[in-house]
Amino acid sequence: MRKFYTITIVALLAAMLLATIPPTVAQTDSDGLPAYTGGPAELRFSWWGNDDRAERTMQVIDLFEAAYPDITVVGEPNGGAGDHFQILDTQLAASDAPDVIQFGGNWPDYVQYLEPLNDYLGAQLLIDTPETFDQAALVPATDADGNLYAISLGTNTLVLAYNKTMIEAAGVDLPADNMSWEELVAYGAELKAALPDGVAPFVDNSMNQANYLSYFYTQQGTPIWTLDDGGTSYATVESAQAWLQMWADMRDEGLIPDADTTYTYTEDGPDSSAFVAGKAAINLIWSNQAAAYQAAMTDELGMTTLPTGGEPAYAIQMSQYLAINANGENKEAAALFINFFVTSPEAGAILETNRGVPSSPVVRQSITDQATDIDAAVYRIYDSVSDRTVPQGPNLPNDQEFVNELELIGQQVAYGQSSVEQAAEDLQALIERLAVK
């Protein structure tokens, strides 16, 4: 009986002691990571990108889970950007969207689903000082009321990637930086005469990349969308016609592939690109995609700037963002994951510039010594366009619908089902409809 009493008292004391301990002990990190005060949690994280990006992302997830053992992250790579947003739209409609979501400049189209992040700054998100994060990178992800909705993953810009091996084998000089549009087209004609049969100088980028179109419109002094007066478009039929006619002429001259070849490839990454397949020598890509394109090719890749002409239009912009689903169950854990993704030097060493040049000076410094030739080329492009850059502009509202409809208009012209004049009218009508939708 005495032994029974002893065990009972010990058990009671143990129960009392346990009752004084919080159900979950805050996880802290010796490297200065913010603490987690919640219980076991599972997060879903979706993004777009190729296999290389997916592999890097999963490695960062492993690091995060090691730092925060109570939090599990399930990665959901969604292929190309079009697939990603189509899947996301379905998930949001079904109230089954991931906890952490990758966005581009179209995040305002989803703001009603996003968690404002202001209250997490300085707590779970240690990005509120210039020493930890470029404060200017917060501005494009903040609405007019001062609410921060997304965290920048780095800066990015458009470049023309070229197949250096192929061009050198053709005996043609490599394309120079800052050529005018006329000089670029003339260069394409010179290249066409030297390239093997079946290889065009340029990928048909007429309507597969809304940002290239927007760049041209801005050069013309007719930007597609601005924040003037709460949102104004200066797009004109004349700008649309000038853009479409330039590409139609290049198609007639064999400077871009025929329609069947063009639409064999989606051009949403190196996994389905006429450029990677050796069907064209020059292609428009984002600077953060350069390493992935190089990894997909045996030929050596080089880069040059977009053509000059007209008004300054070159934007060094935020490449992508991470945001939190407002309906997620564990927003604290989600905020900690984003913080780790953008501020951890170990994560930065894995991600490198895959999603742009990092916004954290600490991360940038940590990866400087491992900069590749591709990274060095990106930095050179930044310098080459420094005298014609403009602040990052907003995307046209309903951006994904704009992207989808652009390709259809482009296909109709490429297959001779629509004239340049009619396509220009259709494009202008599309812009006007989406601007007020």
Side-chain angles (χ1 to χ4, degrees):
M1 181 63 72
R2 186 181 185 84
K3 182 178 181 182
F4 172 78
Y5 282 143
T6 301
I7 294 174
T8 301
I9 291 171
V10 169
L12 182 61
L13 290 173
M16 292 174 64
L17 179 60
L18 287 172
T20 66
I21 298 175
T24 301
V25 177
Q27 297 173 24
T28 58
D29 189 280
S30 58
D31 292 332
L33 293 173
Y36 176 53
T37 62
E42 179 177 291
L43 301 175
R44 293 165 52 209
F45 169 35
S46 72
W47 69 88
W48 75 85
N50 64 357
D51 291 344
D52 174 65
R53 174 174 294 170
E55 183 176 340
R56 293 171 189 264
T57 302
M58 295 307 296
Q59 290 181 45
V60 172
I61 288 174
D62 290 342
L63 283 179
F64 175 77
E65 290 178 334
Y68 294 96
D70 277 348
I71 307 173
T72 300
V73 181
V74 178
E76 297 183 6
N78 284 335
D83 295 332
H84 172 75
F85 287 108
Q86 186 174 33
I87 292 170
L88 178 61
D89 289 344
T90 301
Q91 291 173 323
L92 288 169
S95 299
D96 186 36
D99 302 273
V100 180
I101 305 167
Q102 179 175 298
F103 287 99
N106 61 341
W107 69 265
D109 289 341
Y110 295 86
V111 69
Q112 68 270 33
Y113 300 108
L114 305 183
E115 172 80 355
L117 302 176
N118 303 54
D119 291 343
Y120 300 88
L121 293 174
Q124 291 81 22
L125 292 172
L126 302 182
I127 57 172
D128 54 330
T129 69
E131 290 74 25
T132 57
F133 207 76
D134 293 338
Q135 299 301 285
L138 302 178
V139 176
T142 302
D143 71 2
D145 294 328
N147 294 313
L148 175 69
Y149 282 102
I151 304 302
S152 164
L153 295 176
T155 57
N156 198 12
T157 196
L158 287 170
V159 300
L160 292 178
Y162 59 82
N163 188 321
K164 181 179 179 184
T165 305
M166 181 184 288
I167 294 173
E168 288 180 337
V172 177
D173 291 340
L174 299 175
D177 290 345
N178 294 323
M179 286 191 288
S180 67
W181 284 101
E182 293 77 14
E183 290 170 335
L184 181 68
V185 171
Y187 177 79
E190 180 185 2
L191 201 53
K192 171 66 180 174
L195 289 172
D197 290 342
V199 181
F202 307 111
V203 169
D204 182 351
N205 295 130
S206 59
M207 303 292 268
N208 69 355
Q209 176 56 263
N211 298 84
Y212 206 12
L213 178 76
S214 180
Y215 171 79
F216 180 82
Y217 271 64
T218 303
Q219 285 184 320
Q220 301 297 304
T222 58
I224 291 176
W225 189 246
T226 70
L227 295 179
D228 294 354
D229 301 322
T232 301
S233 175
Y234 296 98
T236 65
V237 173
E238 288 73 22
S239 286
Q241 189 165 336
W243 175 258
L244 290 164
Q245 188 63 57
M246 180 174 64
W247 288 95
D249 291 343
M250 287 198 284
R251 186 176 297 108
D252 289 344
E253 296 168 13
L255 302 187
I256 59 177
D258 59 67
D260 285 344
T261 301
T262 290
Y263 295 108
T264 297
Y265 304 93
T266 59
E267 297 299 341
D268 56 0
D271 295 336
S272 180
S273 170
F275 177 67
V276 174
K279 301 296 183 183
I282 300 175
N283 188 25
L284 179 82
I285 67 172
W286 288 100
S287 59
N288 67 309
Q289 294 179 312
Y293 272 83
Q294 181 61 87
M297 301 168 59
T298 54
D299 287 354
E300 185 178 356
L301 179 149
M303 285 182 280
T304 188
T305 64
L306 304 193
T308 62
E311 301 292 327
Y314 226 118
I316 306 295
Q317 63 183 47
M318 300 302 117
S319 63
Q320 292 150 31
Y321 302 88
L322 294 185
I324 297 176
N325 181 355
N327 292 321
E329 293 184 356
N330 197 326
K331 301 183 185 67
E332 179 193 4
L336 290 172
F337 177 68
I338 293 176
N339 181 73
F340 187 87
F341 209 89
V342 301
T343 65
S344 164
E346 291 77 16
I350 293 171
L351 296 169
E352 297 180 309
T353 57
N354 184 269
R355 286 177 168 91
V357 177
S359 297
S360 162
V362 178
V363 174
R364 283 201 301 270
Q365 182 62 40
S366 71
I367 65 175
T368 297
D369 294 339
Q370 65 189 54
T372 64
D373 291 342
I374 291 293
D375 293 333
V378 172
Y379 300 150
R380 178 183 57 77
I381 296 276
Y382 275 40
D383 291 338
S384 296
V385 302
S386 60
D387 62 345
R388 55 187 179 108
T389 57
V390 296
Q392 178 183 357
N395 287 17
L396 181 70
N398 306 290
D399 177 71
Q400 193 57 45
E401 185 175 352
F402 184 50
V403 171
N404 295 340
E405 293 292 326
L406 274 182
E407 183 161 13
L408 293 176
I409 293 174
Q411 286 181 356
Q412 290 171 340
V413 176
Y415 281 106
Q417 297 172 352
S418 179
S419 66
V420 165
E421 292 75 13
Q422 182 59 55
E425 296 283 353
D426 293 343
L427 177 52
Q428 180 66 19
L430 173 66
I431 294 170
E432 292 176 359
R433 177 169 65 82
L434 296 180
V436 297
K437 187 175 179 180

